[in-house]
Amino acid sequence: MVITPLEMKQFIIDTLGLEDLTPEAIGDEEPLFDGGLGLDSVDALELGIALRKRFRVEAADQDPALKDHFRTVGSLVAFVAGSGQGPLEAGT
Amino acid sequence: MGFLPLCQLFREARAPDHPVALRLDPAAGPAPRTWAEFAAAAAWAADGSRRAGGRRWVLACPDAWDFAAGLFGLLQAGRTVVLPPNFQPETLRGLEREADGVLRETRAGAVAAPVPALEGSVEFWTSGSTGEPKGVPRSLAQLDAEVAMLERTFGHLMPDGPMVGTVPHHHIYGCLFRLLWPLAAGRPFLTEPVGDPAEFRRALARLRPAAVAASPAHLSRLPQLLDLDTLSGLPGVVFSSGGPLASADAAVWARRVPGGVAEVYGSTETGGIAWRRQEQDGPDWTPFADVALAFQAGALVVTSFRAGPEPLRMEDAAQAVPGGRFRLLGRLDRTIKLEEKRISLPELEQALEAHPWVARAAVVLLEGIRPTLGAVAVLKPGAPAERALLVGTLRAHLALRFEGMALPKRWRFPKELPYDGRGKLTPQALARLFQAEPGRPAPP
């Protein structure tokens, strides 16, 4: 599933309620966590849940950790593009 | 295996090849790490601290192995061990100013000599309710009483196997459950935390842990990222602490884990006070066997060796229920728990007001799907008018001392704080500021 970096930035802003950020303020290769955006580990889980719902990507079954896919907007876009669209699993 | 009090660990000693710690990624080094290595690492820290001198030492170790070995090394050297609330630069600088030394890592290669029974104390530095961070002293005897009580209360739920956790090792819950309790009980601990879902899956499959020490933040979200029915190596019991776990979230795990989900209610000042397993026993809490409880003006008062010499009043409203148990009813003061981290709103407000651009500040917990912090700042003349610059600078200013979760995610810059007619500033009035769009900062 192809998503542009701009769309991904807006998705991150909307999902995490980042009121004061515009997509223009987030660099494609800027570290999302441990960096200027100040996102924390629970934000990573929230983002993972939202990606799963919206794009049907399974982050937790791959070998690299969630945080590797989520390092930057660029790596997120690549991750979503590379993941197949499997059937949505029931959560519990 | 065999349970050894922490004070006796280095006197009785384990077999040199006894597994003390495991690593998630075996490529990082041979696993398991043995008692011989652990004792040597502690000895290295002890030698270094003795040579340098001083009384109070900061244990600034983000790595759990270094933290554990360093803790005992410093105790062996007779130091009071200062445990920081986070590893942000200004936090460490502030603590180092009031200490005599800092330990950031341990190394191999020292010779571990026999060590007499240990004593001494640590200080858990945490947010205070008045705005200043405070050090909470815990003696080694109190920590020993804590791990003995945990083994006595929960040991029967735990099969053989290592201890794994999603929570940080440097706060009291993670320190006890991920490091000190396994060390005393002779169970290996996993050095890395496993909050990441892929790492959680891998850790369970590879290590088949006896227990997982987790928190509501992870227990509520991991099932939305992992199909629990496809996990192998689920533990014998899941622990949760740091905040209330929704019964629906507890149920998801309890039906897949033989010992269920055991929640522990406590604090840095008191240690563990009570426990419950919601699936089995409902919402009410059972005090640990060494805790005496009283109820004063709707608040819980705790008397216990582990809580210190004085009875301590808890920050939660509570009421007694039949059978010696109690029910929790909500927080009483302005120290909040956000995703299990203790956050002092006054401390954040004071830090904001210390910035030259800020005249007055108030921070409020905004409820919602995910509770978040909102900061309200009245600006001084000379503060910039541009919102992005304001927010960016003030967040960076706070990040010197507070970590991610404690940083406000939403900001408002009104002309004045919304006091009511009686001169009071209520959370409701502050929250109302966030219902409208951000707008432009009000000129000072």
Side-chain angles (χ1 to χ4, degrees):
Chain A
M1 163 117 194
V2 173
I3 175 178
T4 66
L6 189 65
E7 289 169 331
M8 180 58 81
K9 291 169 188 176
Q10 192 61 56
F11 181 75
I12 293 170
I13 288 170
D14 293 340
T15 299
L16 301 179
L18 303 175
E19 201 173 46
D20 279 286
L21 274 184
T22 57
E24 293 71 39
I26 308 176
D28 285 12
E29 300 308 317
E30 180 185 339
L32 290 172
F33 301 89
D34 309 323
L37 266 60
L39 302 184
D40 56 50
S41 58
V42 180
D43 288 318
L45 295 178
E46 290 281 311
L47 206 49
I49 292 168
L51 282 170
R52 197 186 195 217
K53 286 189 185 142
R54 169 83 185 274
F55 301 109
R56 300 185 185 175
V57 293
E58 293 296 341
D61 293 323
Q62 323 291 321
D63 248 351
L66 207 72
K67 57 182 186 260
D68 295 324
H69 295 307
F70 287 18
R71 225 175 19 87
T72 65
V73 170
S75 61
L76 260 177
V77 166
F79 171 61
V80 171
S83 289
Q85 265 190 55
L88 189 63
E89 290 182 49
T92 57
Chain B
M1 240 166 66
F3 191 94
L4 276 179
L6 300 170
C7 61
Q8 302 291 346
L9 261 185
F10 293 82
R11 183 167 160 269
E12 307 264 350
R14 306 259 185 217
D17 60 353
H18 175 96
V20 166
L22 302 171
R23 271 181 275 233
L24 187 57
D25 180 5
R33 305 170 86 168
T34 62
W35 174 259
E37 292 174 66
F38 189 71
W44 183 89
D47 290 343
S49 179
R50 280 192 201 102
R51 270 199 304 272
R55 220 174 31 85
R56 291 163 54 79
W57 275 62
V58 179
L59 184 62
C61 296
D63 177 85
W65 167 270
D66 287 334
F67 183 97
L71 178 79
F72 285 98
L74 290 174
L75 287 174
Q76 286 175 20
R79 309 300 178 229
T80 297
V81 188
V82 176
L83 304 178
N86 60 58
F87 300 110
Q88 307 309 101
E90 208 165 273
T91 304
L92 293 178
R93 266 199 296 272
L95 289 173
E96 287 168 34
R97 269 197 295 271
E98 305 294 315
D100 305 310
V102 57
L103 186 73
R104 294 183 218 280
E105 57 166 10
T106 64
R107 304 224 187 115
V111 174
V115 173
L118 282 178
E119 49 184 25
S121 65
V122 307
E123 292 175 5
F124 284 93
W125 279 73
T126 181
S127 289
S129 47
T130 57
E132 281 303 307
K134 59 174 182 171
V136 177
R138 308 260 84 204
S139 68
L140 189 59
Q142 285 171 319
L143 295 173
D144 257 326
E146 190 88 34
V147 301
M149 181 55 57
L150 290 174
E151 184 69 25
R152 176 176 157 188
T153 312
F154 300 121
H156 67 282
L157 298 174
M158 300 185 44
D160 280 347
M163 195 68 181
V164 154
T166 68
V167 293
H169 62 268
H170 56 281
H171 296 154
I172 186 139
Y173 171 41
C175 182
L176 285 167
F177 279 68
R178 282 185 57 199
L179 303 179
L180 298 182
W181 182 16
L183 278 168
R187 296 188 186 94
F189 61 85
L190 180 65
T191 327
E192 301 94 328
V194 289
D196 179 284
E199 288 176 341
F200 187 85
R201 174 191 290 280
R202 209 161 77 232
L204 261 50
R206 281 205 195 135
L207 306 180
R208 316 198 74 82
V212 176
S215 66
H218 286 91
L219 294 174
S220 63
R221 291 183 177 87
L222 284 172
Q224 299 180 63
L225 289 162
L226 296 167
D227 184 349
L228 299 188
D229 290 328
T230 67
L231 289 183
S232 69
L234 278 162
V237 58
V238 169
F239 292 106
S240 178
S241 190
L245 182 66
S247 61
D249 293 329
V252 166
W253 293 89
R255 74 173 75 105
R256 296 172 167 92
V257 165
V261 177
E263 293 172 67
V264 177
Y265 170 68
S267 69
T268 308
E269 289 81 355
T270 58
I273 295 168
W275 58 275
R276 70 177 178 180
R277 291 195 294 165
Q278 292 189 67
E279 278 281 285
Q280 282 83 353
D281 311 313
D284 298 327
W285 298 84
T286 303
F288 284 101
D290 63 346
V291 170
L293 294 179
F295 297 84
Q296 279 174 19
L300 205 54
V301 179
V302 178
T303 306
S304 146
F305 168 70
R306 294 185 287 107
E310 301 292 328
L312 285 184
R313 194 167 170 278
M314 294 300 290
E315 292 151 359
D316 296 286
Q319 75 185 61
V321 303
R325 303 200 289 159
F326 64 90
R327 185 164 306 184
L328 288 175
L329 302 170
R331 292 197 73 86
L332 290 170
D333 80 350
R334 298 195 73 222
T335 305
I336 59 169
K337 286 294 200 67
L338 196 62
E339 308 290 2
E340 294 75 61
K341 299 291 194 300
R342 176 187 270 176
I343 294 168
S344 162
L345 299 181
E347 196 182 343
L348 279 165
E349 290 160 356
Q350 282 178 26
L352 279 171
E353 287 173 1
H355 193 280
W357 291 347
V358 177
R360 287 295 318 279
V363 178
V364 63
L365 179 66
L366 298 168
E367 306 289 350
I369 298 177
R370 182 174 169 201
T372 186
L373 290 178
V376 181
V378 175
L379 301 171
K380 282 186 180 156
E386 204 216 316
R387 197 184 155 79
L389 178 60
L390 274 170
V391 171
T393 307
L394 292 176
R395 287 198 79 218
H397 170 74
L398 290 178
L400 288 175
R401 208 188 321 184
F402 301 92
E403 55 182 341
M405 242 70 92
L407 299 177
K409 286 208 152 80
R410 303 179 66 192
W411 296 77
R412 294 291 182 271
F413 302 100
K415 239 168 119 72
E416 56 213 8
L417 292 180
Y419 289 97
D420 65 15
R422 291 170 303 143
K424 301 205 67 145
L425 195 59
T426 64
Q428 292 77 8
L430 289 166
R432 259 198 298 280
L433 293 173
F434 293 86
Q435 284 165 9
E437 289 292 306
R440 287 163 48 84

